[in-house]
Amino acid sequence: DAGITQSPRHKVTETGTPVTLRCHQTENHRYMYWYRQDPGHGLRLIHYSYGVKDTDKGEVSDGYSVSRSKTEDFLLTLESATSSQTSVYFCAISEDPYNSPLHFGNGTRLTVT
Amino acid sequence: TQLLEQSPQFLSIQEGENLTVYCNSSSVFSSLQWYRQEPGEGPVLLVTVVTGGEVKKLKRLTFQFGDARKDSSLHITAAQPGDTGLYLCAGGGDGGGTSYGKLTFGQGTILTVHP
């Protein structure tokens, strides 16, 4: 398995609180992604990174921010969590997205009460 | 915005039956990927198809990419209980420009194969 660790694996938080999810990789891959998975929607891209300090928005970026200060870590922050952000969050990495597949972590289940 | 419609959303069959899952879009994709996901884990890539009309086989699984690169299908022959899981199709790129590997996923098909 690709070396991807997501933390925490489960989190329950209250509406309005800030939350940060961490994705750590040991593969030295350039590309990293954050997706959310909800029933009936498959996976939707939140943000992605194509290098250190190089990030961009995905399809559902409102309410989320990201940071990548070093190759191995990609952080996803919910500045003020809302119930609509209850979801399972997946991090993915790729060495070369045009010639190699995405490798996904095992996800973080976030519940906002 | 590119969309992928995956059907059916749920499939419950008996061991030994055949099945087909469809993935359709009005948009062109540079590539189409199929993933399988187990509970509590992330999706795992099964196959990538990149050429219109391409057919790939993986044991009892057959994947096809439409000629116009807008649709794809996954056919499983003689399904087994071990095939149970969530199957996801995902389209990459739009046939031109830089996509940075961003994927558009279908809604997923939950397959249950009963012994």
Side-chain angles (χ1 to χ4, degrees), chain A residues 82-102:
Chain A
T82 67
S83 58
S84 65
Q85 293 175 312
T86 292
S87 187
V88 181
Y89 292 86
F90 286 96
C91 173
I93 66 173
S94 177
E95 181 177 19
D96 173 1
Y98 304 100
N99 295 295
S100 59
L102 295 188

Side-chain angles (χ1 to χ4, degrees), chain A residues 7-8 11 19-23 34 74-78 89 108:
Chain A
S7 58
K11 185 170 182 66
V19 177
T20 296
L21 308 183
R22 181 184 185 227
C23 178
W34 277 107
F74 194 30
L75 303 180
L76 176 70
T77 297
L78 291 65
Y89 292 86
T108 293

Side-chain angles (χ1 to χ4, degrees), chain A residues 9 30-31 33 35 37 40-45 48 50 57-59 90 97-98 100-107, chain B residues 1-3 9 33 35 37 40-45 48 86 88 97-108:
Chain A
R9 289 297 312 276
R30 177 183 173 188
Y31 298 85
Y33 308 81
Y35 284 87
Q37 185 173 33
H41 290 279
L43 282 87
R44 293 178 290 175
L45 182 64
Y48 64 99
Y50 45 96
K57 297 178 180 179
E59 176 189 356
F90 286 96
Y98 304 100
S100 59
L102 295 188
H103 295 284
F104 285 84
N106 286 331
Chain B
T1 302
Q2 296 175 303
L3 295 174
Q9 285 197 8
Q33 302 176 8
Y35 290 81
Q37 185 178 12
E41 298 181 4
V44 176
L45 182 72
T48 300
L86 173 65
L88 295 155
T98 300
S99 70
Y100 290 106
K102 296 177 289 181
L103 297 178
T104 298
F105 280 83
Q107 303 96 320

